[in-house]
Amino acid sequence: MFLILAAYLGGVLTILSPCILPVLPFVFARSDQPFRRSGLPILAGMAITFAAVASLAAVGGGWVVEANYYGRLAAIVLMALFGITLLLPRLSERMTRPIVALGARLSQTAGNEGATFGSSLVLGVATGLLWAPCAGPILGLLLTGAALNGASLGTTFLLLAYAAGAATSLAVALLIGGKVFTAMKRSLGAGEWIRRGLGIAVLAGVVAIATGLDTGLLAQVSLASTNGVEQALVDRLHATPNTPVMKAGPTMMMAAAQPPAASLPVEGQLPSLAGAVDWLNSPPLTAESLRGHVVLVDFWTYSCINCLRTLPYVEAWAKKYHDEGLIVIGVHAPEFAFERNIDNVRAAVKRLGIDYPVAIDNNYAIWRGFNNEYWPAHYFIDADGRIRSHHFGEGDYAESEHVIQQLLREAGHKDIASGTVSVAGKGVEAAADMTDVESPETYIGTDRAENFASPGGADQGQVHPYTAPATLALNRWALTGDWRVGGQDAVLTQPDGGITYRFHARDLHLVLGPAPDGKPVKFQVLVDGHAPGDNHGVDTDADGNGVINAQRLYQLVRLAGGIGDHTFEIRFLDPGATAYSFTFG
């Protein structure tokens, strides 16, 4: 509802944009006719046609999610073409001439029929065809946000809400009279210069990217890097007031203790799994095909430390009860934008040794079907397709396994042992020492950053030199060197920059990514000013050396001795390192 309202209000404000001007002659041509018979059908036809055409454009827009990974050159060419069309209106007119010609033909046909409801509706259809190619640049932000939900009916509703907002503004203008039209026409000249100015700005950005003047600029300018937009929409979709989303951190919400197995309630039916954009380790599964099997659905994402620490148990259950009919399905719902890249997920699944089916839920369709709010989240489904239990977060593994055993017995498997698996996770999958963790999950991007201690604070979106104070209080952190801090991450633009954090925990993890061009980034870690030695994590050696070669969670410190307050420092020897969030355990 929030997104639909925002789209509607954005459409209302479109009347202030120069891009609405080309359709005004069509709309005001019949301002002397009765509104119900002429104005209303024109606006309705315009809104419906625009939503349909823009939806088709959104269908082809999914490729931009992968552009930063595989299509740098294609993205540069596309941006250059976009800038040229803004700078040279005649070229833009030629590119959209087929659609405009169709709209003009329909408009002429409608004009010859007289002011009937049907002819006005046809005129509205023609106006929508004219408006769709014109309003594309204005809708960039909306289409990017809509892409989060995929090319679906929901996307069309968002675009229809936007069109309805614009139609509302035009309806008010029609009712007020022709004076509004006259005033708006005066802005045509200014609008054209604004359009050309935007074209020059886009082309300047393309030159900077193509010549390598700023290796991080593509990630900030291109449509493919919409981290801030995506993160805001993810937070809006996932979180509800006073309901924290389960992420990596020492404070975790656990579900209430499981009820006795014999009294497991029915919590609902297994929702559709059709919303997955892809499947790993399996052909697509459906709720119908799973009937007769006990199913465990595990919502996870591969850079979430809480999810990683539950994986050994999920994998052990999948192996132990496979012959009895248990099917485990991992539903990968991304938190960060890079987790939407299916190749990244595929590599993580292989690295983690996951061999059960994994549904790629980039559109959060399965997530919403379960009304889920947490990572990790486990849902237990019986052989009749009914949800019988759930658990959020880490812990209570024995109780969860007893639920699996109970559901298998109900399905007719009588020889299910009551014992539980014994699991000892390794590396990042090892259980946390939550009895002595005093440091919270900490985000680097400004959208959710806390306790940032560099003097002057963060300068979002700009390359800025940062320094660290001489001393840091517990859970305070700072950047050093030249960084561009965004809403979701921070990118180091020059070598020899770093991050310092005063923490209290056994394990310290940091979600990192390599340079935007994919080049690995070397780094060195210090603990209290010295090489970590025996306190190094699985992604560093005793001297603290490591390499960022993929976008994932890195374990940098695992204290071998007593837990206390320590100062962590990571220094990146190459430019381009991207930092997302700290987690502890």
Side-chain angles (χ1 to χ4, degrees):
M1 180 58 71
F2 172 83
L3 291 178
I4 292 177
L5 179 59
Y8 177 80
L9 294 176
V12 170
L13 296 176
T14 301
I15 197 169
L16 302 178
S17 167
C19 216
I20 199 69
L21 293 171
V23 308
L24 291 180
F26 294 90
V27 175
F28 282 92
R30 298 188 176 187
S31 59
D32 58 336
Q33 301 292 328
F35 181 76
R36 290 185 178 181
R37 190 176 63 187
S38 180
L40 182 60
I42 288 175
L43 296 176
M46 183 187 76
I48 294 171
T49 305
F50 169 79
V53 173
S55 294
L56 291 175
V59 170
W63 70 273
V64 299
V65 175
E66 309 295 335
N68 273 351
Y69 303 100
Y70 307 111
R72 175 182 167 88
L73 180 60
I76 291 175
V77 172
L78 179 65
M79 289 174 62
L81 182 61
F82 175 58
I84 292 172
T85 58
L86 289 174
L87 189 61
L88 303 175
R90 291 184 179 179
L91 177 61
S92 178
E93 291 173 4
R94 289 182 182 179
M95 294 176 62
T96 59
R97 187 171 292 170
I99 294 179
V100 173
L102 177 60
R105 192 174 298 112
L106 288 172
S107 177
Q108 184 178 9
T109 301
N112 293 335
E113 293 179 2
T116 65
F117 185 93
S119 64
S120 297
L121 184 64
V122 171
L123 180 59
V125 170
T127 306
L129 289 171
L130 290 171
W131 181 29
C134 165
I138 295 176
L139 283 178
L141 187 64
L142 178 61
L143 289 174
T144 300
L148 206 69
N149 289 324
S152 64
L153 189 60
T155 301
T156 301
F157 279 137
L158 282 174
L159 295 168
L160 189 58
Y162 182 92
T168 301
S169 294
L170 291 172
V172 172
L174 268 175
L175 294 173
I176 291 176
K179 292 183 179 180
V180 175
F181 180 41
T182 302
M184 293 177 69
K185 285 198 294 185
R186 296 195 189 105
S187 67
L188 270 170
E192 190 58 47
W193 282 109
I194 291 174
R195 180 188 181 98
R196 292 181 177 180
L198 288 173
I200 293 173
V202 171
L203 290 175
V206 169
V207 171
I209 296 166
T211 57
L213 294 177
D214 188 345
T215 58
L217 188 59
L218 180 60
Q220 299 296 324
V221 176
S222 74
L223 292 178
S225 182
T226 57
N227 289 351
V229 176
E230 288 186 5
Q231 192 60 48
L233 291 175
V234 167
D235 292 342
R236 182 66 62 176
L237 287 169
H238 289 179
T240 55
N242 303 318
T243 306
V245 174
M246 178 64 66
K247 300 187 181 76
T251 303
M252 301 195 301
M253 285 185 59
M254 295 297 182
Q258 299 283 359
S263 62
L264 291 176
V266 175
E267 301 179 356
Q269 291 294 126
L270 172 63
S272 171
L273 304 177
V277 300
D278 202 353
W279 285 82
L280 306 181
N281 299 333
S282 169
L285 300 176
T286 65
E288 292 75 19
S289 67
L290 293 170
R291 287 296 180 94
H293 295 275
V294 174
V295 179
L296 167 60
V297 175
D298 172 27
F299 284 93
W300 71 298
T301 187
Y302 78 82
S303 73
C304 164
I305 186 61
N306 302 111
C307 302
L308 294 175
R309 289 194 292 240
T310 63
L311 275 179
Y313 292 91
V314 177
E315 292 171 334
W317 295 333
K319 289 179 172 65
K320 179 178 179 180
Y321 299 106
H322 177 270
D323 292 341
E324 281 71 32
L326 175 68
I327 295 180
V328 174
I329 300 174
V331 178
H332 187 274
E335 177 183 13
F336 294 111
F338 65 79
E339 292 172 313
R340 294 171 54 82
N341 185 307
I342 297 176
D343 285 342
N344 284 353
V345 182
R346 184 178 289 108
V349 166
K350 181 178 180 181
R351 182 176 66 250
L352 296 167
I354 297 172
D355 56 9
Y356 50 78
V358 175
I360 307 297
D361 195 28
N362 281 355
N363 299 335
Y364 304 96
I366 303 175
W367 177 288
R368 290 193 300 271
F370 277 84
N371 291 319
N372 186 49
E373 297 287 348
Y374 306 100
W375 294 285
H378 297 153
Y379 293 87
F380 303 87
I381 293 93
D382 66 18
D384 294 323
R386 302 174 298 180
I387 301 174
R388 298 289 298 281
S389 187
H390 64 270
H391 185 271
F392 303 138
E394 300 179 50
D396 292 342
Y397 299 113
E399 289 82 353
S400 293
E401 188 168 357
H402 288 151
V403 171
I404 294 173
Q405 294 169 353
Q406 172 65 22
L407 296 182
L408 288 171
R409 292 191 188 99
E410 291 182 7
H413 301 278
K414 303 301 182 184
D415 298 327
I416 302 298
S418 59
T420 58
V421 299
S422 177
V423 172
K426 298 179 180 179
V428 296
E429 297 181 17
D433 183 359
M434 301 307 299
T435 61
D436 199 5
V437 175
E438 298 180 13
S439 293
E441 179 181 26
T442 302
Y443 289 87
I444 305 299
T446 55
D447 287 350
R448 290 183 284 178
E450 295 180 351
N451 299 325
F452 183 54
S454 288
D459 187 4
Q460 183 174 0
Q462 304 296 322
V463 176
H464 184 81
Y466 293 92
T467 59
T471 59
L472 287 172
L474 182 63
N475 298 327
R476 301 283 286 179
W477 61 281
L479 298 173
T480 58
D482 293 344
W483 291 83
R484 178 186 289 105
V485 181
Q488 193 183 39
D489 55 26
V491 179
L492 181 66
T493 60
Q494 298 293 331
D496 201 31
I499 310 175
T500 304
Y501 195 116
R502 185 73 172 169
F503 75 102
H504 186 112
R506 185 195 68 190
D507 301 336
L508 180 146
H509 314 93
L510 184 55
V511 178
L512 297 166
D517 58 7
K519 292 182 179 179
V521 175
K522 293 177 290 185
F523 65 82
Q524 184 177 35
V525 164
L526 301 176
V527 178
D528 297 328
H530 304 286
D534 293 340
N535 296 319
H536 70 88
V538 297
D539 293 300
T540 55
D541 60 21
D543 294 326
N545 297 315
V547 177
I548 306 171
N549 50 25
Q551 294 166 311
R552 63 179 179 87
L553 180 142
Y554 291 77
Q555 186 187 80
L556 304 178
V557 173
R558 168 158 286 176
L559 297 178
I563 299 174
D565 293 358
H566 296 278
T567 298
F568 163 85
E569 181 180 0
I570 182 170
R571 184 155 298 277
F572 303 100
L573 308 183
D574 304 306
T578 304
Y580 294 88
S581 67
F582 284 93
T583 58
F584 303 89

